[in-house]
Amino acid sequence: MKSLDASLFRSAPRIALADLPGLGKLTAGIADSLNSGLMAWRPGPWRVTPDGVKEDAPAGANAEGRLVRFESERGSLTALLLLDRAATSAVIEVAMGGTGAEPAFEMSDRPLSKIEHGVLRLVQATLARQLAASLGDVLMRPFSLFDGEPPGIEAGTGLAQLRFVLNVFSYSGEISLFFSRAELERELDMAGAGAAAAAGAMQQRMLQQEVGRSMVSLEVTLGPEMLTLDAIAGLRPGKLIAFSATAGNPVTLWSGGVAAYEATLGRTGDRYAVTITTALA
């Protein structure tokens, strides 16, 4: 018997980050939430668009970041929200009342002032709140922001970077979100399972509606009557057959060969009608 060896086993190849089901919908939802967050902070001609994703990306240098944690009943998702220097210049310019008519404010590599830090933190907090709402819409369950200092993203898990271009006036900067690849993939998997279940339930409801709208024939039987074979052979147009049942006797409604209801005969205008009295099936 041949002994087992690790070389006999092959692990399934990891799906590329860009090919993860649901990632496109997530990045589009995040872009919308970043636009909404910036507009809620200061109205202006903000435009944020997705700019791609990157596997195992190191956190960008020369960028201002905030660690945020989004929590739900079925797990949490930690992210590092980064604005590069150009994006930081843009939000500070708008905060200081810029209108785009002035020469572009170029921020050097100097440390941010206390006021600039305050502006940036306020913007990041507003964006984090909008992101929590966006994640809830895309991942199909409510998320809230962790109240307190969130734990860092575990080293060695691999980072997934979602990049977005920010434009306002003459500025063009970059906003990035860094997630743990494992956490992000888990959340997208759960959202996909939830979407599949919701689609199945919707198909079931549509099928039930179609069945409910289907036409089903009903036959009304006044009652059986016995005739001889000679009498049946002698039937001609105009011949009357007298039934033993009277108008007051109940009739039976049949559907598909099954007696479903008892009813009484009546009229509605110039048409015959029945009033159901008893369910039989």
Side-chain angles (χ1 to χ4, degrees), residues 42-46 89-105 168-171:
R42 287 284 191 281
W46 301 102
S89 295
V91 298
I92 291 175
E93 174 72 11
V94 174
M96 298 304 176
T99 62
E102 309 85 359
F105 165 63
V168 61
F169 300 138
S170 57
Y171 294 92

Side-chain angles (χ1 to χ4, degrees), residues 219-262:
E219 297 178 0
V220 179
T221 301
L222 180 63
E225 195 65 38
M226 301 291 292
L227 292 175
T228 65
L229 183 59
D230 288 339
I232 294 175
L235 291 177
R236 296 291 184 270
K239 180 73 174 180
L240 294 177
I241 300 176
F243 283 85
S244 57
T246 65
N249 288 126
V251 296
T252 303
L253 270 68
W254 298 75
S255 177
V258 177
Y261 302 97
E262 278 192 350

